[in-house]
Amino acid sequence: MATCTRNLWKVFAGCQRQLLRVEGLTSQTTPRKIPVRTLAAVKAQKKSKPKVTEEPKEQKKVIDDTDRHKPYGKTAWAPVDDVYILRYYPRTIYDVSEAIDMLKTFQRLDFTPQEQPVYIDLQLNMKLQKKKKVDAFISTVQLPHLFKTEMNRVLVFTEDANQAKVAMENGAVLAGGVELIQPILDEEISADFYIAVPEILNKLAPLRNKLRKKFPKNSRGSVGIRIPKMLELFKYGHEYFVESDCYIRTQIATLDMPKEHIFANLRTILLDVCSHRPADMGPFIERAIIASHTSEALWFKSEDVLQKPAAEKVE
């Protein structure tokens, strides 16, 4: 009996010590040995990355198809049937007169509206030497055959009463000086174009952020003293601009206009576009497309449009 009692007490004592360890009481009485570092650690040095020498990029090989019996990677130079797979043949580039005739034919066959607009899409070569580019530009041109029914609203900035009178007589919607600045900022007055005389240009600085691209500039022909001539340009002028660094997308006519009128408008815009080309550059227009509102896009030869007519050459 005594032996059983002693064993029971041993088990009880062992359980008690185990409970005290769990509660952390034994850790308070037992001293802990904390490691002490007497020397400073050496700072780890960064491993230098090995220099990688850039290999020169391989330039794309330009394949000359001039003397080949067929284009490289294509089936033939031209299809022999009216139905064919486009990717097997080079893209067809039409003469301008042929492209305009095709647009008119598409309209008759598809029974689409005859008054639909005609657009052009130009891709320009804006690259210069040393990774520079031609600055994007905005231009206003007087088309020989108008297709807009409404006249543009033009506002004239001048502090001369006589000039303001001349401007109103020649079709300006409003003419005035600095008193027009605040109404324009408050959007009480607006116009399609803004022109100014040189004397008032410095006083129009508060409108620079408001008007942005419409702010009068010498480079756009909207600053000068010949108010009637400027009004004639901007009242009936057609504005286009370069977007996405190198593209011009603009309307040139309506499909119900005669073929000669569409061609004349197209030639006027292309000549004005090429006038922004630097003198030491080659061809400025890399790609030219014409299309109506409901037709497919047709690539055309822009160099044929830029050539002078035979009548002008004789003169």
Side-chain angles (χ1 to χ4, degrees):
M1 183 69 183
T3 304
C4 295
T5 304
R6 284 195 299 272
N7 292 335
L8 182 63
W9 279 107
K10 288 180 181 179
V11 173
F12 179 75
C15 293
Q16 188 176 13
R17 284 194 299 271
Q18 185 67 24
L19 290 173
L20 290 175
R21 285 194 190 98
V22 173
E23 294 177 1
L25 296 177
T26 57
S27 63
Q28 295 179 0
T29 57
T30 305
R32 297 179 60 188
K33 293 182 179 180
I34 302 175
V36 179
R37 187 175 63 190
T38 58
L39 299 175
V42 179
K43 186 177 181 181
Q45 296 181 355
K46 294 183 179 179
K47 294 182 179 180
S48 58
K49 296 182 179 179
K51 295 182 179 180
V52 180
T53 57
E54 296 182 356
E55 297 180 357
K57 296 182 179 179
E58 295 183 359
Q59 296 182 353
K60 293 183 179 179
K61 295 181 179 180
V62 180
I63 301 173
D64 187 9
D65 291 335
T66 306
D67 298 329
R68 289 176 58 90
H69 65 284
K70 65 176 183 178
Y72 183 80
K74 303 292 183 180
T75 302
W77 283 104
V80 296
D81 293 327
D82 294 337
V83 180
Y84 57 93
I85 301 176
L86 290 175
R87 68 174 179 269
Y88 292 157
Y89 300 91
R91 184 183 295 278
T92 304
I93 302 179
Y94 302 94
D95 295 330
V96 179
S97 58
E98 184 181 1
I100 297 174
D101 289 336
M102 291 177 66
L103 294 181
K104 290 183 174 291
T105 303
F106 294 156
Q107 181 271 323
R108 291 193 299 269
L109 295 177
D110 296 338
F111 299 99
T112 53
Q114 193 176 7
E115 300 82 7
Q116 59 184 300
V118 178
Y119 301 97
I120 59 170
D121 187 331
L122 306 177
Q123 180 179 353
L124 308 181
N125 178 18
M126 307 285 281
K127 295 180 181 178
L128 296 174
Q129 295 180 353
K130 298 181 180 180
K131 297 183 179 180
K132 294 183 179 180
K133 292 184 178 181
V134 180
D135 294 332
F137 55 87
I138 303 175
S139 183
T140 304
V141 60
Q142 183 71 50
L143 296 177
H145 306 284
L146 302 178
F147 56 87
K148 292 182 179 179
T149 56
E150 297 181 358
M151 187 176 61
N152 296 323
R153 294 168 50 86
V154 185
L155 186 147
V156 180
F157 289 108
T158 178
E159 292 181 327
D160 189 331
N162 294 328
Q163 291 178 339
K165 182 180 178 181
V166 171
M168 296 301 295
E169 291 175 351
N170 284 270
V173 294
L174 197 60
V178 293
E179 69 276 4
L180 300 177
I181 295 178
Q182 193 58 42
I184 294 175
L185 292 174
D186 296 338
E187 297 184 356
E188 297 176 0
I189 299 174
S190 63
D192 298 318
F193 295 98
Y194 299 84
I195 63 178
V197 294
E199 294 78 13
I200 199 175
L201 196 59
N202 294 332
K203 300 179 181 179
L204 302 179
L207 293 176
R208 191 175 295 275
N209 292 333
K210 178 67 176 178
L211 300 182
R212 296 187 179 182
K213 294 180 179 179
K214 294 183 179 181
F215 189 82
K217 293 182 179 179
N218 288 309
S219 58
R220 295 187 58 192
S222 53
V223 176
I225 58 175
R226 304 177 66 178
I227 295 178
K229 185 177 180 180
M230 290 192 297
L231 283 171
E232 187 67 22
L233 171 63
F234 289 100
K235 278 192 308 180
Y236 304 104
H238 176 72
E239 183 182 58
Y240 68 89
F241 56 92
V242 177
E243 55 182 301
S244 302
D245 294 332
C246 63
Y247 296 98
I248 293 177
R249 303 179 179 96
T250 184
Q251 182 181 355
I252 62 168
T254 54
L255 201 55
D256 59 338
M257 295 173 61
K259 175 182 174 180
E260 295 76 13
H261 292 184
I262 299 176
F263 181 86
N265 285 357
L266 173 61
R267 186 171 184 268
T268 301
I269 292 179
L270 292 188
L271 289 173
D272 189 76
V273 169
C274 291
S275 66
H276 295 85
R277 176 179 62 90
D280 56 346
M281 281 186 64
F284 196 40
I285 302 176
E286 293 183 336
R287 185 211 65 197
I289 298 175
I290 187 170
S292 65
H293 188 66
T294 59
S295 74
E296 63 179 274
L298 302 175
W299 292 45
F300 68 92
K301 302 174 184 177
S302 59
E303 57 273 12
D304 294 344
V305 183
L306 297 174
Q307 292 178 357
K308 293 183 179 182
E312 294 184 11
K313 292 181 180 180
V314 173
E315 295 177 359

